[in-house]
Amino acid sequence: MNILDNTGVQSHPTSLICVLSTLPLPPPVQLYDFSSICHRSRSNSRIYLLVEYSCECFGTFFVAEVQVHAMSGHGHGHGGGHSHGCCECDHEPAERGVEYELYRRIDIEKLQCLNESRDGDGKLVFKPWDQRTDRTKFVESDADEELLFNIPFTGSVKLKGIIIAGEDDESHPAEMRLFKNIPQMSFDDTSREPEQAFRLNRDPLAELEYPTKIARFSNVEHLSIHISRNFGAESTRVYYIGLRGEFTQAHRHEVTICNYEAAANPADHKVESITPQTQFIS
């Protein structure tokens, strides 16, 4: 059984394989290691969870769990999903929605989406958690399948995870590349190495989270999301982009400007006249 990280590179963690060898998992099953707390992949209507634990007695170990999940509206599996499974399974939806409120920290008037088919639509996909499946607000690419979001924040962000939802067809984004602190980024700039890249899965219900490398995404004041390709359609459609992380308000420092004179100009200063008094001593 192969275990892939979020770059598609095979790895074989010894402690992970020890647990997997005890599981009667029905094929086909794909398991992905994202170096995060929870690891998840889907096959048909089952969810396979690998939860990582760490303690002083046993060190790092993994516990595998299989849960039944009703897949409504589409019959294909989401193999290869990069997700933060513990958030979906252990938290109530309303509680999880609180974690995805970084959209409130976006300077929405300055947000740009390059190659959008209609001006301003790129701003619509950054919306509240309870509107993530709303199909009335979306952005669609214009000339080709690429989209580039330039997202300025009103402070400093530590980005921990991203959810991106599209249509359940070939127009869904298939690859996402992340850049930080490059304001006014253009498609010419996307040739450089990204901070992190993901191979995406079709996720019309906005359930799969892609965990970022937090060390690389601390102190983010500007985030660029490059959708480089989809699953084969002429254009790409996005309904929701959710950002999870921590926000720190930017502090404004007032500066006092002082002018100092190299030499005093008597004409600029009023001096009271003093009448000298002389006393003679006889």
Side-chain angles (χ1 to χ4, degrees), residues 26 50 97 160 239:
L50 291 177
K160 297 182 177 181
Y239 288 101

Side-chain angles (χ1 to χ4, degrees), residues 133-148:
T133 58
D134 179 10
R135 289 296 189 261
T136 62
K137 298 179 181 179
F138 61 89
V139 61
E140 189 167 7
S141 63
D142 187 16
D144 54 26
E145 59 186 344
E146 292 187 73
L147 287 168
L148 179 60

Side-chain angles (χ1 to χ4, degrees), residues 22-129:
T22 64
L23 287 178
L25 300 180
V29 174
Q30 291 180 322
L31 297 175
Y32 290 78
D33 179 15
F34 305 115
S35 300
S36 184
I37 296 177
C38 300
H39 313 275
R40 183 186 67 182
S41 179
R42 296 184 177 185
S43 175
N44 297 329
S45 61
R46 294 178 181 269
I47 297 177
Y48 298 90
L49 297 177
L50 291 177
V51 186
E52 181 179 346
Y53 295 90
S54 180
C55 68
E56 296 181 357
C57 297
F58 300 102
T60 300
F61 61 99
F62 296 83
V63 174
E65 180 182 356
V66 181
Q67 296 184 356
V68 177
H69 180 78
M71 301 289 289
S72 59
H74 50 286
H76 67 275
H78 293 271
H82 306 28
S83 92
H84 200 356
C86 61
C87 291
E88 180 178 356
C89 299
D90 298 338
H91 294 217
E92 293 296 327
E95 182 180 350
R96 191 182 184 194
V98 175
E99 299 177 343
Y100 286 88
E101 290 197 342
L102 278 183
Y103 74 94
R104 298 178 180 270
R105 307 301 185 177
I106 296 174
D107 191 344
I108 200 67
E109 296 301 322
K110 296 181 180 179
L111 186 148
Q112 296 178 330
C113 181
L114 305 186
N115 196 37
E116 57 185 354
S117 61
R118 186 169 54 189
D119 290 342
D121 280 357
K123 301 177 181 180
L124 303 179
V125 301
F126 298 91
K127 49 192 176 183
W129 174 257

Side-chain angles (χ1 to χ4, degrees), residues 140-215:
E140 189 167 7
S141 63
D142 187 16
D144 54 26
E145 59 186 344
E146 292 187 73
L147 287 168
L148 179 60
F149 297 88
N150 284 318
I151 309 163
F153 295 103
T154 57
S156 179
V157 166
K158 178 186 290 186
L159 186 64
K160 297 182 177 181
I162 298 181
I163 291 178
I164 181 165
E167 194 60 82
D168 192 12
D169 58 20
E170 294 181 344
S171 69
H172 193 289
E175 185 176 74
M176 172 175 63
R177 306 170 74 239
L178 304 181
F179 303 83
K180 71 172 184 178
N181 298 336
I182 309 177
Q184 306 297 323
M185 188 172 181
S186 67
F187 283 109
D188 293 335
D189 299 319
T190 60
S191 59
R192 68 178 66 188
E193 189 73 18
E195 297 292 335
Q196 193 170 359
F198 297 92
R199 295 176 183 176
L200 306 181
N201 297 284
R202 297 181 187 180
D203 184 24
L205 300 181
E207 296 176 317
L208 303 179
E209 181 188 86
Y210 301 89
T212 62
K213 298 177 181 178
I214 299 178

